[in-house]
Amino acid sequence: MAYLTGAYSPARILAAGILVAAPLFATASLAQQPPQQAAINVSAEGDATLVPDMATVSLSVVSQADDTATALSDNSAAMTKVIDALKASGIAETDIQTTDFSVSPRYDQVKADDGTTQSRITGYEVHNGLAVKIRDLSKLGSVLDQSVKLGVNSGGGISFSNSDPSKAEDEARREAVANALAKAKTLAEAAGVTLGDVLSISEQSSSPQPVMFRAMAMAKADSAVPVAAGENTYSVNVNMTFGIGQ
């Protein structure tokens, strides 16, 4: 029977095994990390226009009186007339929505006997706002005119939109991708490399912004308010990453 002594004791053999195994584990860990692939990153924009077929209008009635009851009564009467006129013009009840309602005091600065200035409530103000979808743009001017005559006295915004903008958005996407691809090819040619596969792509889109108008300026109009719908521009920005071919 053989015995291990001195340099060949079990403790020394185990320690040697650990020292030998450690570099092997470190090598395996390094081998699991793939090298980063060289890439070209570009961004580009594409646009497409579409004639709007509907509009959303904000209409507000602001009433002032010495007491809240009178201010509220006056406001409710005016807004009821506006809503009834909108329905009579063919606008669906589901396309008329209250957006905000508030009652607030009005203050005036008065000078006291001691010379100081103090705030004093001089009355109350009621504000009632509507968002109205108009799906027949030929009615837009007359709706604005009639609403102002019936009590709308605070301006809002007109947002021209499209019931189905998907075709214009897809066209903008195709243009954005084509522009990004052309830019990436130019960069690859300039660098003397070959453009590889698409590694990633993302997009950001934007919709038309509302157009502001002032209802008070239209209060004395004798005919329907002239409104030009123009065109809506839908924009898409894409970010693309291309690999560099070998």
Side-chain angles (χ1 to χ4, degrees):
M1 180 177 296
Y3 293 94
L4 296 174
T5 60
Y8 298 100
S9 65
R12 290 179 175 271
I13 293 176
L14 179 60
I18 294 176
L19 290 175
V20 172
L24 293 177
F25 287 127
T27 303
S29 177
L30 290 174
Q32 292 174 0
Q33 299 178 1
Q36 285 190 337
Q37 182 176 357
I40 296 177
N41 300 304
V42 296
S43 62
E45 185 177 80
D47 299 319
T49 59
L50 195 62
V51 176
D53 58 13
M54 63 182 294
T56 302
V57 183
S58 61
L59 304 172
S60 299
V61 174
V62 179
S63 303
Q64 296 178 346
D66 293 337
D67 58 273
T68 55
T70 303
L72 182 59
S73 176
D74 292 346
N75 189 280
S76 297
M79 184 56 79
T80 298
K81 291 180 180 179
V82 172
I83 293 176
D84 289 343
L86 291 172
K87 293 178 180 178
S89 68
I91 297 176
E93 186 173 354
T94 53
D95 287 336
I96 304 173
Q97 184 179 43
T98 298
T99 55
D100 59 275
F101 179 86
S102 65
V103 179
S104 57
R106 294 187 297 116
Y107 294 93
D108 193 10
Q109 300 297 318
V110 295
K111 184 172 291 188
D113 294 337
D114 59 0
T116 59
T117 300
Q118 299 177 347
S119 296
R120 181 182 65 183
I121 296 177
T122 59
Y124 295 87
E125 179 177 286
V126 176
H127 182 280
N128 195 348
L130 292 177
V132 183
K133 289 183 180 179
I134 301 175
R135 301 181 186 275
D136 183 357
L137 290 182
S138 65
K139 297 180 179 180
L140 179 55
S142 60
V143 166
L144 293 176
D145 180 62
Q146 184 71 3
S147 298
V148 170
K149 290 178 179 178
L150 292 175
V152 170
N153 56 4
S154 180
I158 302 177
S159 177
F160 290 103
S161 58
N162 298 92
S163 55
D164 184 12
S166 58
K167 290 184 178 180
E169 292 171 340
D170 287 345
E171 182 181 342
R173 288 188 182 97
R174 284 190 287 268
E175 181 179 294
V177 170
N179 291 340
L181 182 58
K183 186 183 293 186
K185 286 181 177 179
T186 300
L187 290 173
E189 291 173 2
V193 297
T194 303
L195 193 65
D197 295 333
V198 176
L199 301 180
S200 67
I201 181 170
S202 63
E203 73 160 36
Q204 298 86 38
S205 59
S206 62
S207 300
Q209 298 299 310
V211 178
M212 305 307 294
F213 76 99
R214 292 183 61 85
M216 290 296 292
M218 303 184 297
K220 296 182 179 180
D222 296 327
S223 59
V225 177
V227 178
E231 289 183 329
N232 282 335
T233 299
Y234 293 88
S235 300
V236 173
N237 186 280
V238 295
N239 299 299
M240 299 183 68
T241 300
F242 297 84
I244 294 178
Q246 300 298 322

